Amino acid sequence: MQQAAVWRNCSLHDLPEEEDISRTQNLAHVSQNLSCQKMEGFMHHCHRKLPTLLSRTLFKALKRSYISCTIHTSPLVSVPSKPTIPPPLVSRLFQPSNFREGQEGGDMTCRSQRLMLHTGLIHPSNPGCFYYLPVALRSMEKLVRLIDEEMHAIGGQKIDMPALCSAELWKKSGRWELMGKEMFRLLDRHNAEYCLGPTHEEAVAELFASQTTISYKKLPLLLYQVTRKFRDEQKPKFGLLRGREFYMKDMYSFDINEEAALQTYHSVCQSYGRIFDRLGLTWVQVQAATGNIGGTLSHEFQLPADIGEDQLLVCGNCGFSANIETMEQGQTECSQCQTGTLTESKGIEVGHTFYLGAKYSQAFKALFVNASNVPAVAEMGCFGLGVTRILAASIEVMSSEDAIRWPGCIAPYQVCVLPPKKGSKANEATLVAEKLSQSLGNSLPNLRGEVVLDDRVQMTIGKRLKDAKVLGYPYVVVVGQKALENLPSFEVICQQSGETMFLSKEGLVDLLSKAETI
Amino acid sequence: MQQAAVWRNCSLHDLPEEEDISRTQNLAHVSQNLSCQKMEGFMHHCHRKLPTLLSRTLFKALKRSYISCTIHTSPLVSVPSKPTIPPPLVSRLFQPSNFREGQEGGDMTCRSQRLMLHTGLIHPSNPGCFYYLPVALRSMEKLVRLIDEEMHAIGGQKIDMPALCSAELWKKSGRWELMGKEMFRLLDRHNAEYCLGPTHEEAVAELFASQTTISYKKLPLLLYQVTRKFRDEQKPKFGLLRGREFYMKDMYSFDINEEAALQTYHSVCQSYGRIFDRLGLTWVQVQAATGNIGGTLSHEFQLPADIGEDQLLVCGNCGFSANIETMEQGQTECSQCQTGTLTESKGIEVGHTFYLGAKYSQAFKALFVNASNVPAVAEMGCFGLGVTRILAASIEVMSSEDAIRWPGCIAPYQVCVLPPKKGSKANEATLVAEKLSQSLGNSLPNLRGEVVLDDRVQMTIGKRLKDAKVLGYPYVVVVGQKALENLPSFEVICQQSGETMFLSKEGLVDLLSKAETI
């Protein structure tokens, strides 16, 4: 917009070539501080001696008086369109494995932590806190979209509650003392007490209670959020599996009575099952203790894994499963079917559901107006999913010792395109690879933004293939000599299944059109 | 998956009707605790007396032994597909204006705060903290996607840094003392000092420094995040405009030298301009003070508004603009063009950019390897956009006193469909409206999830139209008598332009296919 205006006003007799325009597009702002005449000379100048002089001139102009001056009024005619974003280049991805080889920070304690640190998905900060780096964050954002879809499907509505929770709220529920050292506490400048919410039963009950005339017709009401939670763990460990700061999806339900609340409870549990199924995970739902959340019924969703911190008992006969916390010590016979034997196994807890009854709604007077037009206490449930934990736990249970395998639909990128090594016989195929990485993203809606180009062409194909294997891209496309033939073909490695095939462009497009993305 | 298994195993002779299957789909889990025979009778039973008996039976089954027992192995054949999500119903949206009429919480201080509270977009929590309710959160998520697009277009890579920042980091930069009471501080269980990051220059410089061999070829490196920030404001006010907990997009750039850093600075400023243009906002970029962030060059992006807390000086001649903080007291002549007069105006700051130089990179040893293979200190910039503030400020400057107008592309929902009042002459058009609300979302990709149905049919069209106006849906479609004619037509109110028109189904689809969504 602005740039166009500048070009017009200046009526340049010596318009820069297209290539230069793109280099000089940064000038639009600067131009506004220069008279048209000066601008004209300036542009002319730039045209001749780009890019070194341009940047030097720009530099001075910027230093002198950089500021864009005019008020930009709402553009009525042409609003800028969505920007075109080229395929990410592996050489530019901020994924410290690229930057720093061989070194690893911190104590390695489990497979997912080691793999995630090694491949530059996360970087350690304070104990139990991590930087989530670009590739991991992409995966997490997909996971959040998947969770959003499933929460919406059962009527969930997404909200966002403050992390700062007033001590008053927690005193009302009696949990201010109960939570002990696990809760981060602080004072504000007026010496008012707060905690950093590890969970939000109090806050959501207060929100519900503030609405004084909620009709029974509006229930069940399911409110959820995906936010950062805080827990001052004694010993944070296993990377994202037990951190002090992590992302959690927490849903809270309000129902007219126990019966309805249990139906809602059931519907959320089903939804959790669907989420883990869509991720392709093996999971088990076990009877669990209610801990300091409270309530009368609780289940955990566990991924069986050796490094799991939870001890589970599973009946070989009827399949009854429970966290060992809920069982009598030394119990070996299943009380459910009375015939089976309980076997111990270990799991990583990735979800936890609670039927709360009136524990919080009573304390906060979370009332609705019932069919007889009388205020009544809502029955509540609460439902957590560890978002960052699911991310790490998936890697933990699906990967091999030295290569990540992602749940297909949340892999950070679906496709990695490998051009030939610089100077090799197939050198000319480099252009084919570049075009391919662009055209796949443009022609297949499911691959928009999903294709990366491994442009580190100073490295051999073999070395880059090894990296691609460690990073677990579901599809790796090698563009070599055969891409230059009359009927070009491409080597495709499907890392989820382990298959390798040679495909024509059409075959490749057909295969990749089936890649599942969220 | 599971349900299918149950049906098969039970080989029911009396399969429920399709309608009942959807009601009974919650039974899949319960069924696993019942023998096939019992299940059969149970299903049969349900089929006859749905839904009251179903829920009672379910209730008992749930109470007795609820648990899903078997281990769910990774489904190799059919992974559940994406759920189908029906159009949201206005009657069920958690938007407290629907629940509670006439009441308003807290002191109203500005238009956006009043409108957002009144229409149930936000709800007050602690001072300066708000619950973001479903409709507002939808808008915010769109705004974040728009920002993501523009940040990616200039090479930005999204990360996520911990909110808990170690005091050590802040002492290293000298800001631990400097920040004073504006920073929330806390101790962990081991008495280690932390703050809640109001900004992340220290953290990101440390991250960069931890990568010991970043080549100059990898620069510029632009890392950004969209996270919740904390600032202990003395007097939080104006709703989301000045809160203590808010969402901010903060980007940090690393460059090889000052020249390159200033080019990056410029490219980010341009990108900010594009964002505000896409939102249809009137904005101005002004010279600004660097405050406690530091550096040598700084600009603010301001939306002119009477309630703005920033005083700006704008030259009537050359358009030079500055925050009054940066000018000599009483200055009325423009030092830029030396002829114009400076006029005062007010603005809401929505973005702030800083050229930091080596302030942080020096302190944290954020080094890269230059072309001569020698470690050199990176030049940094930092760039903030107030995400929740842009949301509120847009409403502030675009709305009228009693009706919200959104930037079109981030309106929470694009279309609201109004069926006729229950019992009115046009009653039969209700079904048409319901189908329309579904088909628009299905047939137009840009309207997926963007159509709501105002099913509060006990209310007159007039009353619901008034609500729709206050909420500012870009398109309101009234389905009345004319929708039942041989050539059905629909009344469409384009609230952004104020136009009203009558359109055929095809005309409507054509119009709405142009709705811009993100």
Side-chain angles (χ1 to χ4, degrees):
Chain A
M1 282 288 298
Q2 282 166 247
Q3 196 186 0
V6 170
W7 295 122
R8 267 202 310 283
N9 292 347
C10 295
S11 62
L12 290 176
H13 52 75
D14 189 356
L15 271 172
E17 313 275 314
E18 195 180 358
E19 181 194 30
D20 297 341
I21 291 181
S22 80
R23 285 202 193 122
T24 57
Q25 65 190 359
N26 283 351
L27 297 173
H29 266 103
V30 174
S31 67
Q32 303 194 333
N33 282 344
L34 304 169
S35 72
C36 273
Q37 214 175 9
K38 269 192 202 156
M39 183 65 196
E40 216 171 317
F42 184 55
M43 292 311 247
H44 185 79
H45 192 62
C46 294
H47 182 211
R48 298 275 169 249
K49 310 204 174 176
L50 278 164
T52 49
L53 205 62
L54 163 63
S55 56
R56 201 167 300 275
T57 320
L58 227 185
F59 175 61
K60 282 183 195 158
L62 285 165
K63 282 265 19 176
R64 205 170 53 242
S65 82
Y66 169 82
I67 309 139
S68 150
C69 307
T70 40
I71 292 188
H72 304 264
T73 50
S74 157
L76 286 176
V77 190
S78 70
V79 170
S81 56
K82 288 193 182 203
T84 329
I85 300 161
L89 303 174
V90 170
S91 72
R92 301 305 291 257
L93 276 178
F94 186 66
Q95 195 180 356
S97 61
N98 289 335
F99 293 127
R100 178 188 62 146
E101 277 163 38
Q103 281 177 281
E104 278 160 1
D107 291 331
M108 304 298 128
T109 56
C110 68
R111 183 179 291 181
S112 60
Q113 183 176 8
R114 206 188 59 247
L115 284 168
M116 293 182 86
L117 285 170
H118 179 65
T119 57
L121 299 181
I122 57 173
H123 182 79
S125 171
N126 320 307
C129 299
F130 289 86
Y131 297 87
Y132 308 136
L133 301 183
V135 177
L137 195 60
R138 259 187 81 87
S139 180
M140 187 176 103
E141 291 192 336
K142 288 181 182 183
L143 178 56
V144 170
R145 285 201 290 275
L146 188 153
I147 293 172
D148 281 340
E149 285 177 4
E150 295 295 340
M151 294 300 107
H152 286 146
I154 54 167
Q157 300 189 49
K158 195 173 187 180
I159 61 172
D160 193 307
M161 296 186 268
L164 286 170
C165 297
S166 159
E168 280 171 47
L169 282 185
W170 287 71
K171 286 174 180 168
K172 219 176 198 174
S173 69
R175 291 211 291 170
W176 183 254
E177 296 304 327
L178 191 68
M179 294 297 289
K181 287 193 166 180
E182 284 226 335
M183 203 152 72
F184 284 106
R185 294 157 207 257
L186 68 162
L187 297 174
D188 74 2
R189 68 197 298 156
H190 309 294
N191 281 323
E193 284 178 302
Y194 290 90
C195 69
L196 297 178
T199 170
H200 282 75
E201 286 76 12
E202 285 82 357
V204 80
E206 161 125 320
L207 174 64
F208 189 92
S210 73
Q211 314 307 320
T212 48
T213 55
I214 297 185
S215 158
Y216 69 99
K217 292 177 194 162
K218 311 264 183 191
L219 306 189
L221 176 66
L222 284 81
L223 299 175
Y224 80 99
Q225 61 177 354
V226 179
T227 56
R228 216 190 281 246
K229 304 296 190 298
F230 301 85
R231 196 172 295 153
D232 197 355
E233 293 282 354
Q234 169 90 40
K235 282 185 190 160
K237 60 178 167 176
F238 295 155
L240 302 194
L241 290 178
R242 186 162 293 281
R244 299 202 296 171
E245 195 175 331
F246 50 89
Y247 278 90
M248 191 167 95
K249 189 282 306 176
D250 43 333
M251 182 181 255
Y252 305 90
S253 64
F254 298 87
D255 269 289
I256 54 167
N257 57 30
E258 190 175 358
E259 201 173 318
L262 287 170
Q263 286 220 43
T264 296
Y265 184 94
H266 186 64
S267 138
V268 180
C269 287
Q270 266 215 319
S271 162
Y272 279 18
R274 275 181 58 91
I275 290 170
F276 299 123
D277 283 346
R278 285 180 70 184
L279 294 171
L281 295 166
T282 297
W283 56 280
V284 57
Q285 183 180 348
V286 307
Q287 172 181 301
T290 55
N292 56 26
I293 303 269
T296 56
L297 179 70
S298 177
H299 290 94
E300 287 163 356
F301 289 76
Q302 299 269 358
L303 305 188
D306 287 345
I307 63 123
E309 296 186 81
D310 288 291
Q311 304 268 338
L312 315 178
L313 288 175
V314 180
C315 171
N317 182 41
C318 71
F320 167 83
S321 317
N323 191 310
I324 208 164
E325 293 169 359
T326 66
M327 308 294 276
E328 277 169 46
Q329 221 189 344
Q331 193 178 340
T332 55
E333 192 186 279
C334 176
S335 53
Q336 204 71 8
C337 65
Q338 315 236 327
T339 53
T341 309
L342 296 172
T343 321
E344 255 188 69
S345 77
K346 284 180 175 177
I348 303 171
E349 181 198 329
V350 283
H352 204 154
T353 58
F354 299 85
Y355 167 55
L356 298 171
K359 175 173 172 178
Y360 297 90
S361 41
Q362 187 81 60
F364 287 88
K365 299 198 174 54
L367 308 176
F368 68 99
V369 178
N370 71 15
S372 324
N373 213 23
V374 173
V377 175
E379 292 277 315
M380 284 177 66
C382 76
F383 309 93
L385 276 183
V387 176
T388 33
R389 193 184 276 184
I390 291 173
L391 193 66
S394 304
I395 292 175
E396 186 70 33
V397 298
M398 295 181 93
S399 304
S400 69
E401 209 45 57
D402 49 15
I404 292 179
R405 194 177 149 221
W406 302 89
C409 58
I410 65 162
Y413 296 98
Q414 289 294 321
V415 185
C416 179
V417 174
L418 299 187
K421 184 171 190 300
K422 198 175 178 178
S424 73
K425 279 186 300 181
N427 206 15
E428 287 167 53
T430 306
L431 200 63
V432 180
E434 284 168 9
K435 284 195 174 156
L436 183 71
S437 67
Q438 277 165 9
S439 70
L440 287 175
N442 293 338
S443 58
L444 296 172
N446 62 325
L447 289 193
R448 212 193 142 142
E450 292 293 327
V451 185
V452 296
L453 180 70
D454 192 343
D455 63 326
R456 300 172 302 165
V457 288
Q458 74 285 6
M459 287 166 67
T460 62
I461 285 276
K463 216 166 181 183
R464 282 178 286 154
L465 259 180
K466 204 177 149 198
D467 277 6
K469 196 178 170 194
V470 175
L471 287 166
Y473 301 102
Y475 301 93
V476 181
V477 182
V478 181
V479 182
Q481 194 70 47
K482 281 175 191 274
L484 296 170
E485 291 175 3
N486 271 350
L487 290 172
S489 76
F490 304 90
E491 183 183 353
V492 187
I493 300 135
C494 304
Q495 302 207 101
Q496 303 288 86
S497 66
E499 285 172 283
T500 295
M501 42 188 119
F502 285 87
L503 295 173
S504 65
K505 174 85 187 285
E506 293 68 35
L508 180 64
V509 168
D510 188 51
L511 175 76
L512 295 180
S513 68
K514 286 162 198 147
E516 34 160 5
T517 51
I518 295 169
Chain B
M1 282 292 293
Q2 282 168 247
Q3 195 186 0
V6 170
W7 293 123
R8 266 201 312 281
N9 293 347
C10 295
S11 62
L12 289 177
H13 51 75
D14 188 355
L15 271 171
E17 313 273 316
E18 194 180 1
E19 182 193 29
D20 296 342
I21 292 179
S22 79
R23 286 202 192 121
T24 56
Q25 64 190 0
N26 283 351
L27 297 173
H29 266 102
V30 173
S31 67
Q32 304 194 331
N33 283 342
L34 302 169
S35 73
C36 273
Q37 214 176 8
K38 268 193 204 157
M39 183 64 195
E40 213 170 317
F42 183 55
M43 292 311 248
H44 185 79
H45 192 61
C46 295
H47 181 213
R48 298 275 169 248
K49 309 203 176 180
L50 276 164
T52 49
L53 206 61
L54 163 64
S55 55
R56 201 168 298 276
T57 319
L58 229 185
F59 173 61
K60 283 183 193 157
L62 286 165
K63 281 248 67 164
R64 206 170 53 243
S65 83
Y66 172 81
I67 309 137
S68 152
C69 308
T70 39
I71 291 188
H72 304 264
T73 50
S74 160
L76 287 175
V77 189
S78 69
V79 169
S81 56
K82 288 195 182 201
T84 327
I85 300 162
L89 303 175
V90 170
S91 71
R92 301 304 292 258
L93 276 178
F94 186 65
Q95 197 180 356
S97 62
N98 290 336
F99 294 127
R100 178 189 62 149
E101 277 163 38
Q103 281 176 283
E104 278 159 0
D107 291 331
M108 303 299 129
T109 56
C110 70
R111 183 179 290 181
S112 60
Q113 183 176 9
R114 206 188 58 249
L115 283 168
M116 292 182 86
L117 285 170
H118 179 65
T119 57
L121 298 181
I122 57 173
H123 182 78
S125 169
N126 320 308
C129 299
F130 289 86
Y131 297 87
Y132 308 135
L133 302 183
V135 177
L137 194 61
R138 261 188 80 87
S139 181
M140 187 176 103
E141 291 192 335
K142 288 181 182 184
L143 178 56
V144 171
R145 285 201 289 275
L146 188 152
I147 292 171
D148 281 340
E149 284 176 4
E150 295 295 339
M151 293 302 105
H152 287 145
I154 56 168
Q157 301 190 49
K158 196 172 186 179
I159 61 171
D160 193 308
M161 296 185 268
L164 286 171
C165 297
S166 159
E168 281 171 47
L169 282 185
W170 288 70
K171 285 174 180 168
K172 217 175 199 176
S173 69
R175 291 211 292 169
W176 182 254
E177 296 303 326
L178 191 68
M179 294 298 288
K181 288 193 165 180
E182 285 224 336
M183 204 153 71
F184 284 105
R185 293 157 206 257
L186 68 163
L187 297 174
D188 74 1
R189 67 196 298 155
H190 309 294
N191 281 324
E193 284 179 302
Y194 289 91
C195 69
L196 297 179
T199 171
H200 282 75
E201 287 76 12
E202 286 82 356
V204 81
E206 161 124 321
L207 173 65
F208 189 94
S210 74
Q211 314 307 320
T212 46
T213 55
I214 297 185
S215 157
Y216 69 99
K217 292 178 195 160
K218 311 261 184 193
L219 306 189
L221 176 66
L222 284 81
L223 299 175
Y224 80 100
Q225 60 176 356
V226 179
T227 56
R228 216 190 281 247
K229 303 296 191 298
F230 300 85
R231 196 172 295 153
D232 198 355
E233 293 282 353
Q234 169 90 37
K235 283 185 190 160
K237 60 178 169 176
F238 295 155
L240 303 193
L241 291 178
R242 186 162 291 281
R244 298 201 296 171
E245 195 175 332
F246 50 90
Y247 279 90
M248 191 165 96
K249 189 282 306 178
D250 42 331
M251 182 182 255
Y252 305 90
S253 64
F254 297 87
D255 268 289
I256 54 166
N257 57 29
E258 190 176 358
E259 203 172 317
L262 287 170
Q263 287 220 42
T264 296
Y265 184 94
H266 186 64
S267 136
V268 180
C269 287
Q270 267 214 317
S271 162
Y272 279 18
R274 276 181 57 90
I275 290 170
F276 299 123
D277 283 346
R278 285 180 70 185
L279 294 172
L281 295 166
T282 297
W283 56 279
V284 56
Q285 183 181 349
V286 307
Q287 172 181 302
T290 54
N292 55 28
I293 303 271
T296 56
L297 178 72
S298 177
H299 290 93
E300 288 163 355
F301 289 76
Q302 298 270 359
L303 306 188
D306 288 344
I307 65 124
E309 296 187 79
D310 287 292
Q311 305 267 338
L312 316 177
L313 289 175
V314 180
C315 172
N317 181 42
C318 72
F320 167 83
S321 317
N323 191 312
I324 208 165
E325 295 168 358
T326 66
M327 307 294 276
E328 279 169 43
Q329 223 190 344
Q331 193 177 340
T332 55
E333 192 185 278
C334 176
S335 52
Q336 204 72 9
C337 64
Q338 313 234 328
T339 53
T341 312
L342 297 171
T343 321
E344 256 188 70
S345 76
K346 286 179 174 176
I348 302 171
E349 181 199 327
V350 285
H352 205 154
T353 58
F354 299 84
Y355 167 55
L356 299 171
K359 174 172 171 175
Y360 298 90
S361 40
Q362 188 79 60
F364 288 88
K365 299 198 173 54
L367 308 176
F368 67 99
V369 179
N370 72 15
S372 320
N373 213 22
V374 172
V377 175
E379 290 277 314
M380 284 178 66
C382 75
F383 309 92
L385 276 184
V387 176
T388 33
R389 194 184 274 184
I390 291 174
L391 193 67
S394 303
I395 292 175
E396 186 71 33
V397 299
M398 296 180 92
S399 305
S400 69
E401 209 44 58
D402 48 15
I404 293 178
R405 196 178 145 220
W406 303 88
C409 58
I410 64 162
Y413 296 98
Q414 289 294 319
V415 185
C416 179
V417 175
L418 299 187
K421 184 172 191 298
K422 197 174 176 179
S424 73
K425 279 186 300 180
N427 205 15
E428 287 167 52
T430 307
L431 200 63
V432 180
E434 285 168 8
K435 285 194 172 156
L436 183 71
S437 66
Q438 276 166 8
S439 70
L440 286 175
N442 292 339
S443 58
L444 295 172
N446 62 325
L447 289 193
R448 211 190 145 147
E450 291 293 326
V451 184
V452 295
L453 179 70
D454 192 344
D455 63 326
R456 300 172 303 165
V457 289
Q458 75 286 5
M459 288 166 67
T460 63
I461 286 277
K463 217 165 180 182
R464 281 177 286 154
L465 259 180
K466 206 179 146 195
D467 277 6
K469 197 179 170 193
V470 175
L471 287 166
Y473 301 101
Y475 301 93
V476 181
V477 182
V478 180
V479 182
Q481 194 70 50
K482 281 174 191 273
L484 297 170
E485 291 173 4
N486 271 349
L487 291 170
S489 76
F490 304 89
E491 183 182 351
V492 187
I493 300 137
C494 304
Q495 301 207 102
Q496 303 287 88
S497 66
E499 284 172 285
T500 295
M501 43 188 116
F502 285 87
L503 295 174
S504 65
K505 175 86 188 284
E506 294 67 37
L508 179 64
V509 169
D510 188 52
L511 175 75
L512 296 180
S513 68
K514 287 160 198 149
E516 34 160 7
T517 52
I518 295 167

